Amino acid sequence: MDLIAKIEILDSTLREGEQTPGVSFSINEKVALAKRLDAFGVDFIELGHPAVSPDVYEAVEALNDLDLNGKKMAHGRASKSDINDVVAIGVGWMGFFFGTSPLSLKHKFNVTKSEALNRIETAVKYGKDNGLKLRFTAEDASRTDIDFLIQVGQLVQLAGADRFSLADTVGCLTPAKTKELVNCIVCELDIPVHIHCHNDFGMATANALSALEVGAQCVDVAVNGLGERCGLPPLAEVVTSLVNLYKVNGDWDLGMIPELTELVTSFSKLESTDNQPIVGKNAFSHKAGLHVKAVVKDPKSYEAISPESLNRKRTLVIDKYTGRAAIENKFKSLGFAYKKHDVTAVLNMIKSRPEKVDWTNEELISHIKSIGIQV
Ligand code: COA
Ligand code: ZN
């Protein structure tokens, strides 16, 4: 494993996140989110693509006026007009893209490879002549012929690009293919390599981490995994994996993850599912008797990451899967003195109501009292 010393996180919630069907953030929401993302410690914040609409243009202006620690990056096509927008607004970094796969060359641009190289080189030189720091993204890189992709990378590097980004635009990479691709590009270039993954097969996070394992420097994420179709790697999954599984010491405030999730849930109006890793309602809930018994003794028994490190709380679910240890734990936490047969009585009652999937404390207290057990 070849993780580079300073892994960077680029948050694309404000840019690609707004490409999620059903989502449109107001400028105020974008400003509020950018401030919290910056406090969390992302290295780059993608502000948006000014050419999309007047409100996105205005948002990029407002975001660029913020005093942030992270680097601000505007997004656009490899065209003079998009570069001019970014220069006019005064954003320091621009990320522009050009589709390099046969499908893109034919259907999007109707150009030959050498015409594409010309357009890309012209755009990079134009951006650099205008004082921009540049990330060039090979859109659909994962379906681009590898020799051509290397040629594009070397060309943009020579023309002055500061970063080269590989986009798995349709999410068709696997972790093994990602490693092969990224390793090959990292070996051919001197500038840092970025990775942009999509979750069409549910492999965005695994692919992004695989890219970092072989020398990519920066990974694109979005809060709650927003983005076109099935979205980008979720910020929470990538960052907690880096810290907990890869032992990376980033300056990221993991305790802010629930806040970021709630903010983006409320602005995007898209709820995450209960079993979503890290941020889902069930991520730190334990249910079966055996599990709860072990967790009460040592949470590590069934937790690879502690909820406290994420400013979250552990919950123990009471239903028909509950065992004696969970009920004894309940009696104690609710302040009841109990005997062995009391535990059996409460358990029998719970198991006779299989349709009830989460007993609340109030319901349990009322039942405990009804069978004559006192505090
Ligand atoms: N680099 C340079 N030129 C590009 C380009 C690229 N990556 N992509 C498209 N163009 C050119 C087209 O060839 C076309 O040129 P022409 O007018 O000479 O024929 C022109 O730009 C208009 O293209 P297009 O983007 O298709 O226009 P549109 O009106 O359909 O969409 C936007 C304009 C801004 C909405 C669109 O670019 C967009 O959807 N942007 C946000 C999404 C995005 O950035 N996706 C890619 C990364 S995830
Ligand atoms: Zn994308």
Side-chain angles (χ1 to χ4, degrees):
M1 198 159 61
D2 204 7
L3 282 188
I4 69 150
K6 172 75 177 102
I7 299 283
E8 295 167 325
I9 299 291
L10 179 148
D11 185 86
S12 191
T13 313
L14 306 179
R15 196 278 294 174
E16 172 127 14
E18 209 183 28
Q19 291 175 222
T20 312
V23 173
S24 174
F25 300 124
S26 71
I27 296 174
N28 286 341
E29 287 170 343
K30 285 182 178 173
V31 166
L33 252 172
K35 288 181 181 168
R36 300 316 287 152
L37 286 165
D38 198 51
F40 170 80
V42 299
D43 300 273
F44 284 92
I45 300 185
E46 249 184 352
L47 311 184
H49 182 171
V52 165
S53 64
D55 91 288
V56 172
Y57 192 106
E58 225 182 288
V60 175
E61 287 181 312
L63 292 163
N64 192 47
D65 284 342
L66 297 177
D67 184 17
L68 303 178
N69 295 314
K71 300 180 190 75
K72 298 165 195 156
M73 180 184 278
H75 182 78
R77 290 161 291 187
S79 69
K80 280 196 175 170
S81 67
D82 280 12
I83 295 169
N84 288 342
D85 283 345
V86 178
V87 172
I89 298 170
V91 189
W93 278 82
M94 176 172 186
F96 64 63
F97 63 95
F98 196 93
T100 51
S101 65
L103 277 166
S104 298
L105 298 185
K106 185 159 183 272
H107 296 306
K108 287 184 67 178
F109 306 114
N110 194 24
V111 291
T112 62
K113 283 182 176 174
S114 93
E115 286 166 338
L117 291 173
N118 265 332
R119 281 181 69 172
I120 292 169
E121 185 180 31
T122 305
V124 173
K125 286 187 168 161
Y126 186 71
K128 289 312 289 182
D129 287 347
N130 279 279
L132 292 173
K133 296 281 265 179
L134 284 182
R135 177 200 64 187
F136 175 82
T137 297
E139 194 187 19
D140 213 7
S142 44
R143 294 190 297 176
T144 299
D145 154 43
I146 188 67
D147 292 332
F148 184 57
L149 195 59
I150 293 170
Q151 221 182 332
V152 172
Q154 289 173 337
L155 175 98
V156 299
Q157 175 173 287
L158 201 63
D162 300 278
R163 306 288 179 105
F164 186 58
S165 174
L166 300 167
D168 181 22
T169 302
V170 297
C172 61
L173 285 177
T174 63
K177 285 182 185 163
T178 306
K179 282 190 184 181
E180 198 184 331
L181 171 68
V182 174
N183 184 46
C184 176
I185 297 298
V186 165
C187 290
E188 296 290 341
L189 299 186
D190 298 321
I191 53 176
V193 172
H194 291 210
I195 186 80
H196 180 90
C197 297
H198 272 267
N199 207 29
D200 298 73
F201 287 91
M203 283 192 271
T205 300
N207 290 341
L209 294 168
S210 301
L212 297 177
E213 283 183 18
V214 290
Q217 177 161 320
C218 182
V219 60
D220 292 4
V221 300
V223 178
N224 296 357
L226 294 188
E228 288 275 353
R229 306 182 310 280
C230 316
L232 301 185
L235 174 143
E237 291 178 17
V238 170
V239 176
T240 54
S241 299
L242 284 172
V243 172
N244 286 275
L245 306 178
Y246 292 80
K247 310 298 174 203
V248 170
N249 283 319
D251 290 328
W252 307 302
D253 183 355
L254 299 196
M256 282 185 65
I257 286 177
E259 178 194 338
L260 287 172
T261 296
E262 279 166 33
L263 213 53
V264 172
T265 301
S266 100
F267 294 164
S268 66
K269 301 172 190 72
L270 290 179
E271 293 284 342
S272 46
T273 51
D274 286 354
N275 60 356
Q276 193 86 27
I278 314 297
V279 300
K281 178 170 165 267
N282 296 350
F284 301 99
S285 296
H286 304 280
K287 172 167 146 169
L290 267 175
H291 293 230
V292 173
K293 188 175 182 180
V295 166
V296 167
K297 285 187 188 146
D298 183 349
K300 284 201 190 77
S301 315
Y302 282 96
E303 287 172 359
I305 171 170
S306 79
E308 293 82 10
S309 68
L310 299 159
N311 214 3
R312 294 205 57 191
K313 288 196 168 65
R314 172 177 308 112
T315 57
L316 305 176
V317 177
I318 303 280
D319 80 347
K320 69 178 181 186
Y321 273 82
T322 295
R324 300 191 70 85
I327 297 299
E328 286 171 14
N329 186 54
K330 247 325 162 202
F331 272 124
K332 284 180 202 151
S333 68
L334 295 174
F336 285 95
Y338 63 91
K339 300 227 165 50
K340 215 172 162 186
H341 64 265
D342 297 327
V343 176
T344 309
V346 172
L347 265 182
N348 287 345
M349 182 276 298
I350 290 168
K351 286 171 192 283
S352 73
R353 300 277 310 275
E355 77 289 352
K356 202 156 166 46
V357 290
D358 195 0
W359 287 82
T360 64
N361 281 347
E362 292 66 35
E363 288 165 335
L364 284 169
I365 291 169
S366 141
H367 179 72
I368 291 168
K369 285 185 174 163
S370 78
I371 58 176
I373 305 167
Q374 298 306 321
V375 180

